[in-house]
Structure formats: C-alpha cells, structure tokens
Amino acid sequence: MAQLSAQGRMRLMALQLLLWHSALWSGQEAIPLLTVSSLPPSLPLPRSFLLKSLEQVRKLQARNTDLLEQLTKCLSQLHSGLFLYQGLLQALAGISSELAPTLDMLHLDVDNFATTIWQQMESLGVAPTVQPTQSTMPIFTSAFQRRAGGVLVTSYLQSFLETAHHALHHLA
C-alpha cells in the first residue's frame, strides 16, 4: 500500500512538472496570450477568478523570459570560456610525453562539454548564427614555458569549471 502511495506521489509530481513546463515554456505555444476582452462572457468561472488567473499567467511568462535570458547569458559565457580553454589546451600540445594522454583526455572533455553547451543553446534557439572563431593563442616555445603554461591553464580551467558548476547549479 505504501508503494502504491509513493507511485501516486511520483505520478502527481510528474503531472505537476508537466503542467509547469507547459505553463512556463515560451508561453506562445503553451499559453495563448489572452486579454480581458477575449474572455467569453458565458464562462462558468467567475470573471474575477479569470482575471486573476490571467495576471498570474502574465507574471509566469515574464518570469520565464527572465529565466531564459539568464540561462542564455550563462550558457553563452560558459561556451566562450570553454572555447578559450580549447585553444589554450591545444597550445600545450607536446608538454611532455608523460602528460600527453592526460592532456589529450582533458582537451577532449572540454571539446565535448563545449559542444554539448552549444547544442543546448541551439535547442533553446539562443545560439548565435555562427560559432566563434579562435583568437591567437600563445605559443610555448620551451619546455619550461609549456610546463608553466600547463600549470596556469589547468589551474584557471579548474577555477572556471567550479564557477560554472555553481552557476549551473544555481540555475537548476
């Protein structure tokens, strides 16, 4: 009996999420933009209730727009930062034979993360029409420069990813 109750709660939560999703998503498809004059006079609900409901819908649509703008800004900054680190990691190629596999794996992970962020931006319809191009990256000519650059790049990348994690967690 307790398991059935838990399943019922899960279904209720899923239904609530679905309703919130339909109410909060862009608004144009899920919630038609209604005005007081477009309300049919023969509705069985009190007009005051409908007016309050319309006001709530407008507030939700405004909040949705704000959240989408924040998400767009966050994803854009995240993608730009990852794109920068892609170039910096590429500039570290040849740092040492012992670190090459780790650097290659890190470079691949950053590439995949940047691609995933770009795809999310495209699916939300907020991606720029053209992906950014890589600016001039430093050239590390000596083994010392590559090692020092490797320490700096990985340290800054770690800090960047921690900040990105906190920002995405906040948006979630």
Side-chain angles (χ1 to χ4, degrees):
M1 186 70 143
Q3 186 177 6
L4 183 59
S5 177
Q7 287 177 345
R9 284 193 301 265
M10 291 297 288
R11 287 182 182 151
L12 179 61
M13 286 187 347
L15 179 60
Q16 288 173 333
L17 286 173
L18 180 62
L19 289 172
W20 274 107
H21 175 71
S22 66
L24 292 176
W25 202 246
S26 71
Q28 281 66 32
E29 298 88 25
I31 301 173
L33 191 58
L34 299 175
T35 63
V36 176
S37 61
S38 69
L39 292 174
S42 62
L43 286 175
L45 297 172
R47 191 168 180 84
S48 62
F49 173 78
L50 293 173
L51 291 174
K52 287 179 183 177
S53 296
L54 285 174
E55 183 59 30
Q56 290 299 328
V57 167
R58 287 187 190 104
K59 287 179 181 178
L60 288 172
Q61 287 173 331
R63 179 72 175 137
N64 182 49
T65 301
D66 291 343
L67 288 174
L68 185 60
E69 288 173 6
Q70 288 178 24
L71 180 61
T72 299
K73 183 177 179 180
C74 181
L75 290 176
S76 179
Q77 289 176 343
L78 184 56
H79 184 266
S80 295
L82 289 169
F83 194 73
L84 170 70
Y85 284 107
Q86 283 175 313
L88 291 171
L89 289 170
Q90 190 173 6
L92 291 174
I95 190 170
S96 77
S97 58
E98 302 89 38
L99 295 176
T102 304
L103 183 63
D104 290 343
M105 187 171 61
L106 182 59
H107 190 252
L108 182 62
D109 287 344
V110 169
D111 287 349
N112 288 338
F113 192 23
T115 300
T116 301
I117 295 297
W118 184 263
Q119 289 169 344
Q120 288 297 315
M121 292 169 63
E122 285 180 332
S123 71
L124 290 171
V126 296
T129 55
V130 177
Q131 283 202 23
T133 56
Q134 196 65 259
S135 61
T136 305
M137 287 294 125
I139 299 172
F140 301 111
T141 55
S142 70
F144 172 77
Q145 287 178 342
R146 282 191 294 278
R147 283 191 301 269
V151 169
L152 290 174
V153 167
T154 55
S155 174
Y156 287 132
L157 176 59
Q158 179 181 358
S159 177
F160 173 79
L161 291 174
E162 287 171 356
T163 302
H165 176 264
H166 291 298
L168 291 173
H169 182 69
H170 175 74
L171 286 174

PDB file of all heavy atoms in Angstrom, residues 83-99:
ATOM      1  N   PHE A  83      35.533  27.535 -25.056  1.00  0.00           N
ATOM      2  CA  PHE A  83      36.172  27.728 -26.362  1.00  0.00           C
ATOM      3  C   PHE A  83      37.587  28.284 -26.179  1.00  0.00           C
ATOM      4  O   PHE A  83      38.525  27.851 -26.850  1.00  0.00           O
ATOM      5  CB  PHE A  83      35.313  28.653 -27.221  1.00  0.00           C
ATOM      6  CG  PHE A  83      35.691  28.667 -28.662  1.00  0.00           C
ATOM      7  CD1 PHE A  83      35.396  27.581 -29.476  1.00  0.00           C
ATOM      8  CD2 PHE A  83      36.335  29.759 -29.218  1.00  0.00           C
ATOM      9  CE1 PHE A  83      35.741  27.577 -30.816  1.00  0.00           C
ATOM     10  CE2 PHE A  83      36.684  29.764 -30.554  1.00  0.00           C
ATOM     11  CZ  PHE A  83      36.384  28.675 -31.352  1.00  0.00           C
ATOM     12  N   LEU A  84      37.755  29.213 -25.249  1.00  0.00           N
ATOM     13  CA  LEU A  84      39.080  29.756 -24.947  1.00  0.00           C
ATOM     14  C   LEU A  84      40.005  28.647 -24.430  1.00  0.00           C
ATOM     15  O   LEU A  84      41.148  28.524 -24.888  1.00  0.00           O
ATOM     16  CB  LEU A  84      38.974  30.870 -23.903  1.00  0.00           C
ATOM     17  CG  LEU A  84      40.296  31.363 -23.318  1.00  0.00           C
ATOM     18  CD1 LEU A  84      41.094  32.128 -24.372  1.00  0.00           C
ATOM     19  CD2 LEU A  84      40.053  32.208 -22.088  1.00  0.00           C
ATOM     20  N   TYR A  85      39.505  27.836 -23.509  1.00  0.00           N
ATOM     21  CA  TYR A  85      40.337  26.770 -22.954  1.00  0.00           C
ATOM     22  C   TYR A  85      40.644  25.684 -23.987  1.00  0.00           C
ATOM     23  O   TYR A  85      41.694  25.046 -23.897  1.00  0.00           O
ATOM     24  CB  TYR A  85      39.709  26.189 -21.688  1.00  0.00           C
ATOM     25  CG  TYR A  85      39.900  27.112 -20.513  1.00  0.00           C
ATOM     26  CD1 TYR A  85      38.844  27.843 -19.996  1.00  0.00           C
ATOM     27  CD2 TYR A  85      41.155  27.290 -19.954  1.00  0.00           C
ATOM     28  CE1 TYR A  85      39.030  28.714 -18.931  1.00  0.00           C
ATOM     29  CE2 TYR A  85      41.357  28.154 -18.900  1.00  0.00           C
ATOM     30  CZ  TYR A  85      40.292  28.872 -18.394  1.00  0.00           C
ATOM     31  OH  TYR A  85      40.494  29.744 -17.357  1.00  0.00           O
ATOM     32  N   GLN A  86      39.778  25.485 -24.958  1.00  0.00           N
ATOM     33  CA  GLN A  86      40.104  24.548 -26.042  1.00  0.00           C
ATOM     34  C   GLN A  86      41.394  24.982 -26.719  1.00  0.00           C
ATOM     35  O   GLN A  86      42.289  24.171 -26.968  1.00  0.00           O
ATOM     36  CB  GLN A  86      38.977  24.512 -27.090  1.00  0.00           C
ATOM     37  CG  GLN A  86      37.762  23.730 -26.682  1.00  0.00           C
ATOM     38  CD  GLN A  86      36.664  23.843 -27.728  1.00  0.00           C
ATOM     39  OE1 GLN A  86      36.346  24.932 -28.206  1.00  0.00           O
ATOM     40  NE2 GLN A  86      36.067  22.714 -28.073  1.00  0.00           N
ATOM     41  N   GLY A  87      41.483  26.271 -27.051  1.00  0.00           N
ATOM     42  CA  GLY A  87      42.679  26.795 -27.707  1.00  0.00           C
ATOM     43  C   GLY A  87      43.908  26.735 -26.821  1.00  0.00           C
ATOM     44  O   GLY A  87      45.004  26.389 -27.276  1.00  0.00           O
ATOM     45  N   LEU A  88      43.734  27.069 -25.536  1.00  0.00           N
ATOM     46  CA  LEU A  88      44.867  27.038 -24.621  1.00  0.00           C
ATOM     47  C   LEU A  88      45.393  25.616 -24.426  1.00  0.00           C
ATOM     48  O   LEU A  88      46.607  25.395 -24.391  1.00  0.00           O
ATOM     49  CB  LEU A  88      44.483  27.656 -23.275  1.00  0.00           C
ATOM     50  CG  LEU A  88      44.245  29.165 -23.290  1.00  0.00           C
ATOM     51  CD1 LEU A  88      43.659  29.629 -21.959  1.00  0.00           C
ATOM     52  CD2 LEU A  88      45.529  29.917 -23.615  1.00  0.00           C
ATOM     53  N   LEU A  89      44.478  24.663 -24.316  1.00  0.00           N
ATOM     54  CA  LEU A  89      44.913  23.272 -24.175  1.00  0.00           C
ATOM     55  C   LEU A  89      45.598  22.786 -25.443  1.00  0.00           C
ATOM     56  O   LEU A  89      46.570  22.021 -25.378  1.00  0.00           O
ATOM     57  CB  LEU A  89      43.725  22.375 -23.819  1.00  0.00           C
ATOM     58  CG  LEU A  89      43.169  22.556 -22.410  1.00  0.00           C
ATOM     59  CD1 LEU A  89      41.857  21.806 -22.251  1.00  0.00           C
ATOM     60  CD2 LEU A  89      44.191  22.121 -21.361  1.00  0.00           C
ATOM     61  N   GLN A  90      45.120  23.241 -26.569  1.00  0.00           N
ATOM     62  CA  GLN A  90      45.754  22.866 -27.840  1.00  0.00           C
ATOM     63  C   GLN A  90      47.164  23.454 -27.918  1.00  0.00           C
ATOM     64  O   GLN A  90      48.087  22.818 -28.424  1.00  0.00           O
ATOM     65  CB  GLN A  90      44.903  23.352 -29.006  1.00  0.00           C
ATOM     66  CG  GLN A  90      45.328  22.819 -30.342  1.00  0.00           C
ATOM     67  CD  GLN A  90      44.335  23.208 -31.425  1.00  0.00           C
ATOM     68  OE1 GLN A  90      43.388  23.963 -31.204  1.00  0.00           O
ATOM     69  NE2 GLN A  90      44.557  22.693 -32.612  1.00  0.00           N
ATOM     70  N   ALA A  91      47.335  24.650 -27.391  1.00  0.00           N
ATOM     71  CA  ALA A  91      48.661  25.284 -27.403  1.00  0.00           C
ATOM     72  C   ALA A  91      49.655  24.539 -26.518  1.00  0.00           C
ATOM     73  O   ALA A  91      50.869  24.672 -26.694  1.00  0.00           O
ATOM     74  CB  ALA A  91      48.545  26.745 -26.952  1.00  0.00           C
ATOM     75  N   LEU A  92      49.153  23.754 -25.578  1.00  0.00           N
ATOM     76  CA  LEU A  92      50.034  22.997 -24.685  1.00  0.00           C
ATOM     77  C   LEU A  92      50.475  21.667 -25.272  1.00  0.00           C
ATOM     78  O   LEU A  92      51.206  20.915 -24.623  1.00  0.00           O
ATOM     79  CB  LEU A  92      49.334  22.743 -23.341  1.00  0.00           C
ATOM     80  CG  LEU A  92      49.112  23.969 -22.464  1.00  0.00           C
ATOM     81  CD1 LEU A  92      48.276  23.589 -21.251  1.00  0.00           C
ATOM     82  CD2 LEU A  92      50.434  24.582 -22.044  1.00  0.00           C
ATOM     83  N   ALA A  93      50.052  21.357 -26.471  1.00  0.00           N
ATOM     84  CA  ALA A  93      50.425  20.081 -27.099  1.00  0.00           C
ATOM     85  C   ALA A  93      51.942  19.928 -27.063  1.00  0.00           C
ATOM     86  O   ALA A  93      52.693  20.869 -27.309  1.00  0.00           O
ATOM     87  CB  ALA A  93      49.914  20.029 -28.525  1.00  0.00           C
ATOM     88  N   GLY A  94      52.389  18.740 -26.718  1.00  0.00           N
ATOM     89  CA  GLY A  94      53.820  18.472 -26.642  1.00  0.00           C
ATOM     90  C   GLY A  94      54.420  18.855 -25.313  1.00  0.00           C
ATOM     91  O   GLY A  94      55.642  18.955 -25.192  1.00  0.00           O
ATOM     92  N   ILE A  95      53.595  19.083 -24.299  1.00  0.00           N
ATOM     93  CA  ILE A  95      54.101  19.498 -22.995  1.00  0.00           C
ATOM     94  C   ILE A  95      55.085  18.464 -22.439  1.00  0.00           C
ATOM     95  O   ILE A  95      56.150  18.820 -21.970  1.00  0.00           O
ATOM     96  CB  ILE A  95      52.933  19.762 -22.006  1.00  0.00           C
ATOM     97  CG1 ILE A  95      53.436  20.421 -20.741  1.00  0.00           C
ATOM     98  CG2 ILE A  95      52.152  18.516 -21.718  1.00  0.00           C
ATOM     99  CD1 ILE A  95      52.335  20.925 -19.822  1.00  0.00           C
ATOM    100  N   SER A  96      54.720  17.209 -22.491  1.00  0.00           N
ATOM    101  CA  SER A  96      55.628  16.115 -22.131  1.00  0.00           C
ATOM    102  C   SER A  96      54.958  14.817 -22.536  1.00  0.00           C
ATOM    103  O   SER A  96      53.739  14.722 -22.612  1.00  0.00           O
ATOM    104  CB  SER A  96      55.956  16.111 -20.632  1.00  0.00           C
ATOM    105  OG  SER A  96      54.895  15.591 -19.885  1.00  0.00           O
ATOM    106  N   SER A  97      55.791  13.805 -22.780  1.00  0.00           N
ATOM    107  CA  SER A  97      55.236  12.523 -23.215  1.00  0.00           C
ATOM    108  C   SER A  97      54.427  11.861 -22.097  1.00  0.00           C
ATOM    109  O   SER A  97      53.464  11.151 -22.368  1.00  0.00           O
ATOM    110  CB  SER A  97      56.357  11.599 -23.698  1.00  0.00           C
ATOM    111  OG  SER A  97      57.301  11.399 -22.663  1.00  0.00           O
ATOM    112  N   GLU A  98      54.788  12.111 -20.832  1.00  0.00           N
ATOM    113  CA  GLU A  98      54.041  11.522 -19.718  1.00  0.00           C
ATOM    114  C   GLU A  98      52.670  12.158 -19.566  1.00  0.00           C
ATOM    115  O   GLU A  98      51.711  11.501 -19.175  1.00  0.00           O
ATOM    116  CB  GLU A  98      54.796  11.677 -18.386  1.00  0.00           C
ATOM    117  CG  GLU A  98      56.188  11.081 -18.340  1.00  0.00           C
ATOM    118  CD  GLU A  98      57.249  12.098 -18.797  1.00  0.00           C
ATOM    119  OE1 GLU A  98      57.132  13.294 -18.469  1.00  0.00           O
ATOM    120  OE2 GLU A  98      58.176  11.670 -19.487  1.00  0.00           O
ATOM    121  N   LEU A  99      52.568  13.449 -19.831  1.00  0.00           N
ATOM    122  CA  LEU A  99      51.305  14.164 -19.636  1.00  0.00           C
ATOM    123  C   LEU A  99      50.432  14.199 -20.886  1.00  0.00           C
ATOM    124  O   LEU A  99      49.276  14.604 -20.807  1.00  0.00           O
ATOM    125  CB  LEU A  99      51.573  15.603 -19.178  1.00  0.00           C
ATOM    126  CG  LEU A  99      52.227  15.748 -17.807  1.00  0.00           C
ATOM    127  CD1 LEU A  99      52.524  17.209 -17.515  1.00  0.00           C
ATOM    128  CD2 LEU A  99      51.340  15.157 -16.725  1.00  0.00           C
TER     129      LEU A  99
END
